[in-house]
DNA sequence: TATTGTTATACTCTATAACTATA
DNA sequence: TATAGTTATAGAGTATAACAATA
């Protein structure tokens, strides 16, 4: 999607831009893509001053209330590869937003602690992201926004709980029905 | 998506996988990312048998009711670079799903026409995508789904109309307010 | 001179594997 | 032997520029 993306998305995925074609815009995937990319475009712009863009922001946000502050813990939480995390934190640290500190309990690990500058920047970014949300929801009135947020959050919570990345087996059969393919025989 | 940023987007944005962190899951971007990636994961799987994946599907879908069937027209509609479109159609054509036919009105252009096999595959994919939508919306009952689709479509239509890719100037000032940056002085 | 489609090249991301220092 | 972090290398995807054919 990002797909995004595309989706980015992703990039990937989440990535291809949607058509403004009438016959397609009835479908959920198209609408999700347009809305998500619309949010991402603004959010990405808003986060352009933190090194690593959205990824850097996520690291800041995750590290700030972290019980689990090591690089690997952050990487797992955010779904970022640990080798990428190294470069990412290199950049964020160079910008003075976080510091690598030795973990007193494990000399292999580094605790990522957010500096004062990091706190200040994060607060500013979060304000901007709220405005970005309002911008995305501009077509709805107050009550509709609340309703939409509630429904979306329920869908997201449900989807997140079933995310194959964390609980593969539950979803496999479901996906198999949808795609018409045989479920893989648990190569993990 | 994480991506998404992403969450995407993400590739990418739209790319990084979302945290299951409580403090973050209140925000709209996170929820959008999770839901969009959840859809993409299934949709991507469902479209794995068409060359080029989701992109190949989009080409099929766009070409099938196309008044504008040339490669460049499809590329513009889908937001795909025209050089990528060449490779993409190479693959889709090799699979026997479309054919390149000379445009009688312009000998430089090629019309992309969907074959019988292409029609059949597209129909099958669209059935699967409907099931993928139901899977994403599994947390909602029938009335809630209708409500969610309606609201989402309104947001998407609004966002699509304001998409900078097609009408840059309208959004610039709005974005500038949000990001706190000066609007660029129309480099285009 | 501009446009459609193709090809070649370079650049960005990501994934994989190796290496170190610790456990 | 396994784990946290780092580094180097290779691959996929994308963008840029140049080219031939046609307008």
């Amino acid at each position: 999607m990002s797909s995004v993306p595309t989706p980015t998305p992703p990039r990937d995925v989440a990535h291809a831009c949607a058509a403004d074609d009438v016959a397609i815009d009835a479908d959920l995937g198209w609408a999700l893509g347009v809305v998500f990319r619309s949010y991402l475009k603004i959010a990405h712009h808003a986060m352009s001053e933190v090194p690593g863009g959205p990824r850097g922001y996520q690291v800041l946000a995750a590290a700030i209330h972290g019980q689990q502050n090591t690089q690997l813990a952050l990487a797992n939480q955010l779904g970022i590869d640990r080798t990428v995390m190294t470069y990412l934190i290199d950049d964020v640290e160079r910008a003075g937003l976080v510091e690598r500190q030795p973990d007193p309990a494990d000399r292999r690990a580094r605790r990522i602690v957010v500096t004062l500058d990091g706190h200040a920047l994060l607060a500013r970014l979060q304000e901007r992201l709220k405005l970005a949300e309002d911008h995305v929801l501009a077509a709805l009135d107050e009550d509709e926004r609340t309703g939409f947020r509630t429904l979306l959050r329920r869908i997201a919570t449900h989807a997140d709980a079933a995310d194959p990345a964390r609980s593969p087996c539950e979803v496999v059969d479901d996906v198999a029905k949808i795609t018409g393919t045989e479920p893989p025989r648990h190569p993990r």
Side-chain angles (χ1 to χ4, degrees), chain A residues 51-72:
Chain A
R55 306 276 274 273
Y57 165 80
Q58 287 184 299
V59 167
L60 276 182
I64 215 160
H65 44 45
Q67 300 88 329
Q68 298 281 76
N69 277 354
T70 70
Q71 293 189 196
L72 192 63

Side-chain angles (χ1 to χ4, degrees), chain A residues 4-186:
Chain A
V4 62
T6 35
T8 174
R11 255 61 67 250
D12 151 253
V13 147
H15 215 229
C17 206
D20 46 350
D21 202 309
V22 184
I24 294 184
D25 77 3
D27 97 299
L28 186 76
W30 173 84
L32 275 177
V34 169
V35 173
F36 188 48
R37 274 187 296 273
S38 162
Y39 173 80
L40 275 188
K41 191 166 296 180
I42 304 173
H44 188 86
H45 191 175
M47 297 185 278
S48 60
E49 64 178 293
V50 48
R55 306 276 274 273
Y57 165 80
Q58 287 184 299
V59 167
L60 276 182
I64 215 160
H65 44 45
Q67 300 88 329
Q68 298 281 76
N69 277 354
T70 70
Q71 293 189 196
L72 192 63
L74 293 178
N76 289 337
Q77 270 179 57
L78 300 174
I80 299 174
D81 192 90
R82 75 186 209 270
T83 68
V84 176
M85 187 58 82
T86 297
Y87 303 127
L88 185 53
I89 293 186
D90 281 350
D91 295 341
V92 179
E93 184 177 38
R94 209 170 0 245
L97 303 173
V98 302
E99 281 178 5
R100 280 187 246 236
Q101 292 183 359
D103 185 330
D106 184 342
R107 278 194 291 175
R108 293 171 303 180
R110 313 289 172 87
R111 293 202 161 274
I112 306 304
V113 303
V114 182
T115 65
L116 286 178
D117 281 0
H119 275 88
L121 178 58
L122 186 62
R124 238 185 313 146
L125 294 184
Q126 281 171 339
E127 276 179 33
R128 291 185 190 173
L129 289 180
K130 281 223 182 76
L131 291 175
E133 295 187 3
D134 290 341
H135 185 264
V136 168
L137 300 180
L140 307 184
D141 67 34
E142 202 53 51
D143 285 349
E144 290 168 332
R145 291 186 194 192
T146 312
F148 180 77
R149 282 177 187 274
T150 304
L151 292 176
L152 181 67
R153 185 158 44 238
R154 276 179 47 202
I155 299 172
T157 306
H158 187 270
D160 196 44
D163 186 9
R166 264 157 297 180
S167 55
C169 301
E170 312 166 25
V171 207
V172 169
D173 294 334
D174 216 353
V175 170
K177 274 182 228 148
I178 290 171
T179 59
T181 58
E182 276 299 305
R185 283 295 135 228
H186 303 121

